[in-house]
């Protein structure tokens, strides 16, 4: 499942400046001007000045917390994660001492969790979301949008860690809450149907997945129609369930319908329709329809070339997929050619030791082996193994 990138919640508080200096007011107001323009680099120097000003005067906790909160978000927005995390932690240590700010503390904890999630630090993000959930439940119960938003984020963290049992339980809870609060036709309820269906699909509970995908399709059809992006996306997800069940005929029909709908909505093929082409081609391969698959793969390659260009990780990935197809069809010379093209682009875009590139090296090595090029096969497969070991030992790699 594609990873979701959450957004930090930003709002500006109205502070009482009666106990604060004029300097602080000017610094804080200046930072707000930049923040309202989404110029966080411009806001940071003013926020740092405001922080120092409020610390050198009798400490106003509300003002100090507001500055820490805005500093943590501003540094996060500018990609300065170490500084952002320091301020998130410092603000948390102050919030726990101020019971009157519990509502704001919930939002802060949620933002901290989002910040960690976006760095794929799922285990750490879970800690913040769990604290936020417990506090929000204590303040206002479960039947409110903020509690449900945090629960959704927590569920996504479980998915990031492949903890399907926990993700299933939390999404099931969320589905019931959203039905109670907004009804079964609400967009957020329908999105939760999709997310829970994704969990069921990955957990091998295909019948439950089909039921929820069909419910989502019905709701989206009524709200937005069949030509909406959301409807077409769920069609593809339902097709993947039928593929996992081995029901290739149904999967093929749904992928074709998705492509037809994309064609009606868009004047020319998009990257999204290219992805559906790849899925459809893979269904043809599973059915042994190699001529149909080759035709669709060729079309998909053209679509990706037109939409993302030849010098891109996506294009390299398509080349690898086509290489796999030709290897499956026994056309090893063509497979070798496509793998080599994929590697050449991959080295320059995602790097020599990226997992996608390593997978292609492995595929190329197996192709060499199948064609009797044993020396090349051994060298290429050894390279793939070495690169896997390298990235597993490099804890700073985002895919380690």
């Amino acid at each position: 499942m594609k990873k979701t990138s959450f957004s930090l919640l930003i709002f500006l508080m109205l502070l009482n400046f009666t106990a604060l200096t004029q300097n602080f007011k000017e610094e804080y107001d200046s930072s707000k001007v930049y923040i309202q323009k989404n110029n966080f680099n411009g806001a940071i120097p003013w926020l740092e000045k405001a922080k120092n000003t409020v610390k050198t005067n009798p400490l106003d906790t509300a003002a100090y917390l507001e500055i820490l909160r805005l500093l943590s978000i501003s540094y996060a927005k500018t990609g300065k994660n170490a500084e952002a995390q320091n301020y998130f932690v410092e603000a948390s240590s102050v919030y726990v001492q101020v019971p009157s700010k519990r509502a704001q503390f919930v939002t802060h904890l949620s933002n901290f969790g989002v910040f960690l999630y976006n760095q794929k630090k799922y285990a750490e993000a879970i800690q913040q979301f769990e604290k936020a959930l417990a506090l929000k439940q204590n303040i206002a119960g479960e039947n409110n949008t903020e509690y449900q938003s945090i629960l959704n984020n927590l569920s996504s963290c479980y998915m990031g860690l492949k903890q399907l049992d926990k993700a299933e339980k939390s999404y099931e809870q969320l589905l019931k809450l959203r039905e109670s609060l907004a009804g079964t036709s609400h967009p957020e309820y329908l999105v939760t149907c999709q997310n829970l269906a994704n969990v069921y699909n990955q957990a091998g509970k295909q019948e439950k997945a089909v039921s929820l995908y069909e419910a989502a399709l019905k709701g989206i059809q009524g709200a937005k129609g069949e030509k909406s992006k959301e409807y077409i996306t769920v069609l593809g997800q339902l097709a993947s369930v039928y593929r996992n069940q081995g029901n290739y005929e149904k999967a093929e029909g749904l992928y074709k319908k998705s492509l037809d709908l994309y064609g009606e909505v868009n004047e020319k093929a998009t990257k999204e329709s290219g992805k559906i082409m790849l899925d459809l081609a893979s269904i043809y391969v599973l059915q042994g329809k190699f001529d149909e698959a080759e035709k669709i793969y060729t079309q998909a390659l053209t679509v990706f070339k037109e939409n993302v260009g030849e010098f891109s990780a996506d294009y390299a990935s398509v080349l690898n997929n086509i290489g796999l197809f030709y290897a499956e069809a026994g056309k090893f010379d063509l497979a070798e050619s496509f793998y080599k093209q994929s590697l050449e682009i991959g080295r320059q875009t995602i790097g020599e030791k990226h997992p996608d590139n390593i997978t292609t090296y492995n595929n190329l090595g197996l192709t060499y082996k199948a064609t009797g090029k044993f020396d090349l096969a051994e060298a290429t497969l050894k390279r793939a193994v070495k690169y896997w070991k390298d990235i597993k030992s490099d804890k700073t790699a985002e895919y380690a």
Side-chain angles (χ1 to χ4, degrees):
M1 186 178 66
K2 184 179 178 180
K3 301 293 189 298
T4 302
S5 180
F6 298 129
S7 298
L8 296 168
L9 180 62
I10 304 172
F11 57 87
L12 295 170
M13 296 178 63
L14 297 175
L15 297 179
N16 182 352
F17 294 106
T18 55
L20 299 172
T21 66
Q22 184 63 28
N23 283 345
F24 176 86
K25 184 180 186 306
E26 291 174 357
E27 292 156 358
Y28 178 68
D29 287 344
S30 296
S31 74
K32 287 198 298 182
V33 171
Y34 286 104
I35 290 173
Q36 288 165 348
K37 296 178 180 179
N38 288 322
N39 183 349
F40 296 97
N41 277 314
I44 286 172
W46 290 107
L47 290 169
E48 290 285 4
K49 288 180 181 180
K51 184 196 73 171
N52 292 331
T53 299
V54 77
K55 287 184 74 172
T56 57
N57 289 276
L59 187 62
D60 184 299
T61 305
Y64 189 54
L65 278 172
E66 171 67 353
I67 298 303
L68 293 178
R69 186 182 69 83
L70 292 177
L71 276 168
S72 62
I73 292 173
S74 296
Y75 277 120
K77 288 285 187 178
T78 54
K80 298 172 182 176
N81 293 335
E83 292 89 340
Q85 183 148 346
N86 287 338
Y87 280 119
F88 272 119
V89 171
E90 184 177 355
S92 293
S93 67
V94 178
Y95 270 117
V96 295
Q97 302 175 44
V98 189
S100 62
K101 298 294 180 182
R102 291 192 306 159
Q104 293 89 335
F105 192 17
V106 171
T107 303
H108 168 78
L109 289 169
S110 182
N111 275 338
F112 195 2
V114 168
F115 166 74
L116 295 166
Y117 176 92
N118 287 340
Q119 297 176 74
K120 301 182 182 179
K121 297 180 178 179
Y122 303 122
E124 295 176 52
I126 285 171
Q127 294 177 8
Q128 303 306 319
F129 288 136
E130 287 179 340
K131 291 177 186 176
L133 273 182
L135 187 55
K136 185 64 183 181
Q137 184 180 42
N138 183 264
I139 295 171
E142 299 179 352
N143 205 28
N144 58 81
T145 56
E146 186 172 26
Y147 181 92
Q148 292 169 26
S149 175
I150 298 166
L151 183 58
N152 179 69
N153 294 347
L154 177 62
S155 304
S156 296
C157 287
Y158 290 141
M159 287 298 291
L161 293 174
K162 306 299 182 185
Q163 295 178 353
L164 297 181
D165 289 345
K166 290 184 177 181
E168 179 180 329
K169 183 178 179 181
S170 58
Y171 274 131
E172 285 176 342
Q173 179 189 1
L174 180 61
L175 193 66
K176 292 178 181 177
L177 290 172
R178 284 187 163 164
E179 179 179 2
S180 173
L181 185 65
T184 57
S185 61
H186 194 277
E188 289 185 346
Y189 175 86
L190 297 174
V191 169
T192 306
C193 279
Q194 292 174 245
N195 290 336
L196 181 54
N198 289 338
V199 177
Y200 286 147
N201 190 21
Q202 292 186 41
K205 301 178 180 180
Q206 271 82 32
E207 290 185 7
K208 286 187 172 183
V210 168
S211 177
L212 280 178
Y213 282 137
E214 289 179 343
L217 281 174
K218 183 177 179 181
I220 296 169
Q221 184 181 34
K224 297 188 175 183
E226 289 191 353
K227 294 182 182 180
S228 65
K229 182 178 180 180
E230 293 84 351
Y231 186 88
I232 298 171
T233 297
V234 179
L235 272 183
Q237 292 170 330
L238 180 56
S240 74
V241 178
Y242 287 128
R243 171 184 171 146
N244 291 343
Q245 289 179 321
N247 193 337
Y248 303 135
E249 186 175 344
K250 273 194 172 182
E252 179 184 335
L254 289 174
Y255 284 134
K256 284 181 175 179
K257 183 176 180 180
S258 297
L259 274 179
D260 289 342
L261 290 172
Y262 258 120
E264 293 177 26
V265 173
N266 301 285
E267 292 184 2
K268 70 171 199 172
T270 64
K271 178 181 173 181
E272 287 71 25
S273 57
K275 290 178 180 178
I276 298 174
M277 289 179 185
L278 294 176
D279 290 329
L280 177 58
S282 71
I283 290 295
Y284 284 142
V285 172
L286 290 169
Q287 297 177 89
K289 299 178 180 179
F290 294 113
D291 290 343
E292 291 94 328
E294 184 173 23
K295 180 180 178 181
I296 296 296
Y297 272 127
T298 302
Q299 291 176 4
L301 190 64
T302 300
V303 169
F304 275 88
K305 181 179 179 180
E306 292 175 349
N307 283 274
V308 301
E310 294 181 68
F311 191 73
S312 67
D314 285 330
Y315 191 77
S317 178
V318 177
L319 290 170
N320 174 70
N321 288 341
I322 296 176
L324 280 170
F325 158 69
Y326 280 125
E328 179 74 16
K331 299 180 179 181
F332 296 111
D333 288 345
L334 284 170
E336 180 181 329
S337 174
F338 276 94
Y339 288 143
K340 286 179 176 178
Q341 291 178 64
S342 176
L343 286 169
E344 181 62 28
I345 296 170
R347 290 189 197 101
Q348 301 175 64
T349 53
I350 55 179
E352 175 81 352
K353 296 183 181 181
H354 190 280
D356 291 350
N357 242 25
I358 299 173
T359 297
T360 305
Y361 271 120
N362 187 73
N363 293 339
L364 178 59
L366 294 174
T367 297
Y368 283 144
K369 185 177 180 180
T371 54
K373 300 175 182 178
F374 298 115
D375 289 342
L376 284 172
E378 181 180 4
T380 305
L381 291 171
K382 281 184 176 179
R383 176 182 292 194
V385 171
K386 180 182 182 300
Y387 286 168
W388 274 122
K389 289 180 178 177
D390 288 347
I391 66 170
K392 291 298 181 184
S393 63
D394 181 6
K395 302 302 183 184
T396 64
E398 66 173 272
Y399 36 75

